[in-house]
Amino acid sequence: MAISLRRARMIIRKALEKGREMQLKPLSVVVLDAGGHVIAFEREDGAAPGRFGIAQGKAYGSVMLGMAGTAQMARAEAQAYFMAAVNGVYGGKVIPVPGGVLVRDKKGAVIGAVGVTGDSSDNDAIAAMAGIEAAGLAGEI
Amino acid sequence: MAISLRRARMIIRKALEKGREMQLKPLSVVVLDAGGHVIAFEREDGAAPGRFGIAQGKAYGSVMLGMAGTAQMARAEAQAYFMAAVNGVYGGKVIPVPGGVLVRDKKGAVIGAVGVTGDSSDNDAIAAMAGIEAAGLAGEI
Amino acid sequence: MAISLRRARMIIRKALEKGREMQLKPLSVVVLDAGGHVIAFEREDGAAPGRFGIAQGKAYGSVMLGMAGTAQMARAEAQAYFMAAVNGVYGGKVIPVPGGVLVRDKKGAVIGAVGVTGDSSDNDAIAAMAGIEAAGLAGEI
Amino acid sequence: MAISLRRARMIIRKALEKGREMQLKPLSVVVLDAGGHVIAFEREDGAAPGRFGIAQGKAYGSVMLGMAGTAQMARAEAQAYFMAAVNGVYGGKVIPVPGGVLVRDKKGAVIGAVGVTGDSSDNDAIAAMAGIEAAGLAGEI
């Protein structure tokens, strides 16, 4: 099962709605497929220009390692040089903090990831999960 | 004047609608701001996974050089080594063909660019223009 | 549908067998998934050490662009600067010649690609097709 | 003496078998030659897509530095900036943790390395050693 564009849009809209509901700073949200490639992205007005790369980096590391942002952060805290080395392998595209959320299908297979950035990492992750759940999918923070 | 997220969404939707109306292959559409940074992107179901980079490359070169895809292609045809050198400077992110369309405000200032990929370069440019005009903006192919 | 490791092995073995049957030079064969990521690779004894990158490059461009090696070569012949620019976007990983073969499922969806290198590009493509067909899949040269 | 493709296959199969026997997560295994170039690679079904780069990185640093994963990790723990600098020199391809295992011939000369990833670094190294020993070679963790 793949994440359709229709579902990716829903994830983004609902994540942004959650952000406004929680009165977060302007958010940026990306949805990647199971190969780490971009399906859809939106950056809210007022967000800093470089937010695409941060959103992508959170989601990209999640897909490529099969490990969501929280687990990546734990590894980075324990072994900073390991995550730095991983970034070398993946072209410097990994941002190992919460807000990178794995998306799984009903059998538990990873079908993509969502990356949210703009507020605190924990709030970013909450907004991502709201989007994923609204789209009827399961997320792993 | 900046391209708002609301307007970027409209550009993407209308470009995709134009593609379906013209029975083009699945399209991917990116909208960049005046600094060449991503505001929004969508890739239609069935498009190849690497389409983000191509769409971005068409729009990125347009903004960075202030020269739309058609003019970039003319320069590449006349002086391939020049566009190759430009790509060295811009980190290899420039795709110098039609489908990269400059977006101008009413005074003629460049406020961003749209990149479309998926069908022939000329059809990509037509879809991009349809989106830009539907959003009440002026495009330069 | 994804290419399983079991099937990837069969593709490689049968491609190598075809090479020996045709008395080709030592071959190297890679199988990539639908996201362009390596599932399996083998380099025959006597092949040059750098063959992994060439095999990967043939298959990688095929997946990322949704365009097999023959079509990539035609584009490169007609518009060399375009394929050079594409390579910038894809990190210099694209080798646009035959021997990069798309793999499709029964509905026609791209589920990966095979890259073969070692002999002439045309012979490489024949070996790749032999492997893909032996695995019960459809290839596009 | 070089690692033949036949032997590389045996290393991979036996490493994967060891992983299943120990009930590890899906593994990915690469075998590199004495120049750090890929001979063979396999990624088990269910492993994350980015595993090739991690497996390669473990083995690559081992060959290039003549220092197996355990020794690299010790150095990284003691002097993180040194391994970061080494990665600059080697193009960001080194993953300095266990699971990168040197392969030696009977005279003790390094003839290549095996990289395993997917479970804990220590379990990865055990699987790699099982493969190397089954192929009648000596490994250094």
Side-chain angles (χ1 to χ4, degrees), chain B residues 8 52 54 125-126:
Chain B
F52 173 78
I54 307 294
I126 291 170

Side-chain angles (χ1 to χ4, degrees), chain B residues 17-108:
Chain B
E17 272 182 39
K18 187 70 179 179
R20 284 191 296 270
E21 179 195 316
M22 292 172 67
Q23 300 188 291
L24 306 184
K25 292 179 197 161
L27 298 181
S28 301
V29 185
V30 75
V31 181
L32 304 187
D33 66 19
H37 305 293
V38 189
I39 302 171
F41 171 78
E42 289 191 1
R43 166 162 59 101
E44 285 195 310
D45 299 343
R51 290 289 166 185
F52 173 78
I54 307 294
Q56 183 185 38
K58 289 184 178 190
Y60 188 73
S62 300
V63 168
M64 293 302 277
L65 292 162
M67 193 190 296
T70 303
Q72 287 179 65
M73 185 169 73
R75 187 72 187 260
E77 297 282 358
Q79 227 179 346
Y81 62 86
F82 175 77
M83 287 308 295
V86 161
N87 243 329
V89 167
Y90 295 148
K93 290 206 299 181
V94 173
I95 302 284
V97 296
V101 180
L102 284 171
V103 181
R104 296 184 186 274
D105 67 12
K106 280 165 189 172
K107 293 177 184 161

Side-chain angles (χ1 to χ4, degrees), chain A residues 3-6 9 12-13 16 20 32-33 37-45 49-50 52 56, chain B residues 3-6 9 12-13 16 20 32-33 37-45 49-50 52 56:
Chain A
I3 301 176
S4 64
L5 174 56
R6 204 180 61 78
R9 278 181 192 148
I12 292 175
R13 296 306 163 79
L16 295 181
R20 284 191 295 270
L32 304 186
D33 67 19
H37 304 294
V38 188
I39 301 172
F41 171 78
E42 288 190 4
R43 165 163 60 101
E44 285 194 311
D45 299 343
F52 172 78
Q56 183 185 36
Chain B
I3 301 175
S4 65
L5 175 56
R6 204 180 61 79
R9 278 181 193 151
I12 291 176
R13 296 307 162 78
L16 295 181
R20 284 191 296 270
L32 304 187
D33 66 19
H37 305 293
V38 189
I39 302 171
F41 171 78
E42 289 191 1
R43 166 162 59 101
E44 285 195 310
D45 299 343
F52 173 78
Q56 183 185 38

Side-chain angles (χ1 to χ4, degrees), chain C:
Chain C
M1 183 198 157
I3 300 175
S4 65
L5 175 56
R6 204 180 62 78
R7 253 187 167 139
R9 277 180 193 150
M10 193 181 309
I11 291 171
I12 291 175
R13 295 308 161 78
K14 293 295 182 178
L16 296 181
E17 272 182 38
K18 187 69 179 179
R20 283 192 296 272
E21 179 195 318
M22 292 172 68
Q23 300 187 292
L24 306 184
K25 291 178 196 163
L27 298 182
S28 300
V29 185
V30 75
V31 181
L32 304 186
D33 67 19
H37 304 293
V38 189
I39 302 171
F41 171 78
E42 288 190 4
R43 165 163 60 101
E44 285 194 311
D45 299 342
R51 289 290 168 183
F52 172 78
I54 307 294
Q56 183 185 36
K58 289 185 178 189
Y60 188 73
S62 300
V63 168
M64 292 299 277
L65 290 163
M67 192 190 296
T70 302
Q72 286 180 64
M73 186 170 70
R75 187 73 185 259
E77 298 282 357
Q79 223 179 351
Y81 64 84
F82 175 77
M83 287 308 296
V86 162
N87 238 330
V89 166
Y90 294 150
K93 291 206 298 180
V94 173
I95 304 283
V97 296
V101 180
L102 284 172
V103 181
R104 295 184 187 276
D105 67 12
K106 280 165 190 173
K107 293 175 185 163
V110 173
I111 56 172
V114 174
V116 175
T117 182
D119 205 273
S120 72
S121 292
D122 288 340
N123 283 339
D124 293 343
I126 290 169
M129 278 299 286
I132 293 165
E133 287 171 356
L137 296 164
E140 179 183 322
I141 283 179

